[in-house]
Amino acid sequence: MVAPAAALAIALLLIHFLLFPAPMAAVLIPTDYLALQSIRKSLSDLPGSTYFASWDFTADPCSFPGVLCRDDRVVALALGDPRAGSPGLSGHLPPTLGRLSALAELSLVPGSVSGPIPTSISLCSTLRFLALSRNLLSGPIPPSLSSLAHLRVIDVGFNFLSGTIPPLLPRLPSLSTLILAGNRLSGPIPSFALNSPLVRLDLQHNRLSGQIPVSLPTSLRYLSLSSNQLSGPVDRILPSLRRLTFLDLSSNSFSGPIPGSIFALPLYSLRLQRNYFSGDLRPSGPVRIPYIDLSFNRLSGRIPAALSAAEWLYLDYNRFIGEVPTSLVDRILKGEMRVLYLQHNFLTGMAIGPPSKIPMITSLCLQFNCMVPPVQTACPARAGQQRMRPAEQCPKWRNV
């Protein structure tokens, strides 16, 4: 039911349009007109931004920057100057956004807009695109967003949102991109529909806990869950994600083996560092992943020669033993590797000597293994000052 004051305002606006018709093909309906006025009152330009300078309501609101109309309705609203370096907006998102019932796209440039995400957005039943990232929004993600069956993109990353992920949100039938990264979300990752069209899932830098749901969509191409409090094995989940091109599970508490089939995925970046993965690495076939970071885990055994195809390879702070594969040495000397970090393992040799010249573009670190580094190279500061492990830590690996 419309409030009496709002009804009076709409009636007066209708009278205005009847007495003073605007010279345009279609007139914006009063509810949309009043919603835009409310948005203008709730938001302001930050210093250096001039986005609202031309929002003059004596003119056609459909000509305002960021406002797109079709017939007599607002169908897209891009709040703020989208040009790089624009300082954005301040203020809050008003509940009257929900009156734009024909809205299909809503975006907000990075800025200082604070307060909650209005639950009334769920009244925009045709909404397909929602992007409110990199502001100061707080409070929970409205569970009512789960009713927007046409939503394809949700990006509310890098705000101050808290609470749990609404359990039905990942089950939206058209959702292809879900970015909730950089917030304060807690609790488990909800389950997904097996036929979900989701392509990008970014939940990094939150406080999520528990295990990865088994029902992750096989359509995923980008998966980032880094810097949470997630745990458990992944060997029964990851192999089914055969379309992945980017995978980041770093800085969690995942454990167990790294499935060999993961190295056969069409990945360009594999980031599993800072977990509790253990056991030998056994790639199931050729490895063509340019960037691999498995550092700070509990991996053991010999380094697989198949990993020599990587350009950036981080295996430091593990429990690898034996000699460095000659295929890695060859790639280093040819300048085909940019980074090879092997420090803080239990390696016993590398077929490279002082006459060999490490290319300038390559960063190689061998410190704190069961050998004197055969070449002197610059290591990162975190590698420490000790060139090799104390002898008492190495006897049982010397003859491996």
Side-chain angles (χ1 to χ4, degrees):
M1 180 177 291
V2 180
L8 177 61
I10 292 172
L12 292 174
L13 197 57
L14 282 170
I15 294 172
H16 173 84
F17 284 142
L18 290 172
L19 294 177
F20 306 99
M24 52 184 173
V27 176
L28 193 64
I29 67 168
T31 51
D32 284 22
Y33 185 96
L34 291 174
L36 290 178
Q37 283 190 322
S38 177
I39 291 166
R40 177 62 189 92
K41 293 175 182 178
S42 301
L43 296 171
S44 303
D45 284 302
L46 285 170
S49 173
T50 58
Y51 172 73
F52 280 122
S54 57
W55 273 47
D56 179 359
F57 283 89
T58 62
D60 175 15
C62 292
S63 67
F64 293 173
V67 178
L68 177 65
C69 300
R70 183 172 295 120
D71 298 328
D72 58 350
R73 308 301 306 276
V74 175
V75 295
L77 186 57
L79 296 170
D81 186 344
R83 292 177 295 184
S86 171
L89 308 175
S90 62
H92 67 278
L93 297 174
T96 46
L97 275 168
R99 294 182 182 175
L100 300 173
S101 56
L103 196 65
E105 299 182 12
L106 174 61
S107 63
L108 175 65
V109 300
S112 298
V113 176
S114 59
I117 298 174
T119 58
S120 60
I121 289 179
S122 62
L123 299 176
C124 303
S125 59
T126 58
L127 195 66
R128 298 192 306 266
F129 182 91
L130 178 64
L132 309 174
S133 65
R134 298 185 185 277
N135 277 275
L136 306 176
L137 299 172
S138 59
I141 298 173
S144 57
L145 292 182
S146 304
S147 66
L148 296 172
H150 299 287
L151 262 180
R152 297 176 185 173
V153 174
I154 300 176
D155 181 1
V156 293
F158 300 97
N159 280 286
F160 293 92
L161 301 172
S162 57
T164 59
I165 300 173
L168 297 181
L169 194 67
R171 290 182 166 269
L172 284 168
S174 302
L175 193 64
S176 64
T177 297
L178 180 58
I179 303 174
L180 308 179
N183 282 289
R184 298 174 177 178
L185 301 171
S186 57
I189 300 173
S191 60
F192 294 77
L194 290 176
N195 59 348
S196 167
L198 196 66
V199 173
R200 184 184 181 101
L201 177 60
D202 191 347
L203 305 179
Q204 63 174 300
H205 289 274
N206 277 288
R207 300 168 184 175
L208 301 171
S209 57
Q211 299 190 12
I212 300 177
V214 178
S215 61
L216 280 182
T218 56
S219 54
L220 277 174
R221 295 182 183 272
Y222 183 105
L223 176 60
S224 181
L225 305 177
S226 67
S227 300
N228 278 285
Q229 299 164 17
L230 299 166
S231 59
V234 299
D235 53 324
R236 291 190 296 173
I237 302 167
L238 297 182
S240 64
L241 305 179
R242 297 187 181 94
R243 300 180 185 180
L244 277 182
T245 59
F246 180 93
L247 175 61
D248 188 354
L249 305 182
S250 62
S251 299
N252 280 285
S253 297
F254 293 117
S255 58
I258 295 175
S261 59
I262 198 174
F263 296 101
L265 297 177
L267 294 165
Y268 66 84
S269 183
L270 174 62
R271 301 167 186 256
L272 304 180
Q273 70 270 25
R274 297 185 182 275
N275 280 285
Y276 298 102
F277 290 116
S278 59
D280 295 359
L281 291 179
R282 295 190 175 93
S284 58
V287 179
R288 299 185 178 89
I289 306 171
Y291 187 102
I292 299 175
D293 192 344
L294 309 180
S295 61
F296 292 90
N297 277 289
R298 298 174 178 178
L299 301 170
S300 57
R302 294 177 177 272
I303 296 174
L307 298 184
S308 60
E311 295 179 51
W312 291 265
L313 182 58
Y314 300 85
L315 301 177
D316 45 308
Y317 292 86
N318 277 289
R319 301 172 182 178
F320 290 113
I321 61 174
E323 294 204 357
V324 178
T326 56
S327 55
L328 278 173
V329 177
D330 292 342
R331 293 261 296 165
I332 284 285
L333 296 179
K334 291 177 182 177
E336 295 174 348
M337 293 194 77
R338 303 297 297 272
V339 174
L340 178 59
Y341 279 180
L342 301 175
Q343 67 268 25
H344 286 259
N345 279 286
F346 295 87
L347 300 170
T348 53
M350 183 174 185
I352 189 171
S356 303
K357 292 185 178 180
I358 307 299
M360 293 292 293
I361 64 169
T362 300
S363 180
L364 171 66
C365 186
L366 300 169
Q367 283 186 194
F368 209 69
N369 276 287
C370 294
M371 62 178 176
V372 176
V375 289
Q376 294 300 311
T377 56
C379 286
R382 72 185 189 192
Q385 300 298 317
Q386 288 183 275
R387 296 184 64 202
M388 65 177 295
R389 282 188 178 275
E392 61 271 16
Q393 295 184 14
C394 295
K396 63 179 179 178
W397 286 283
R398 287 191 182 281
N399 297 318
V400 175

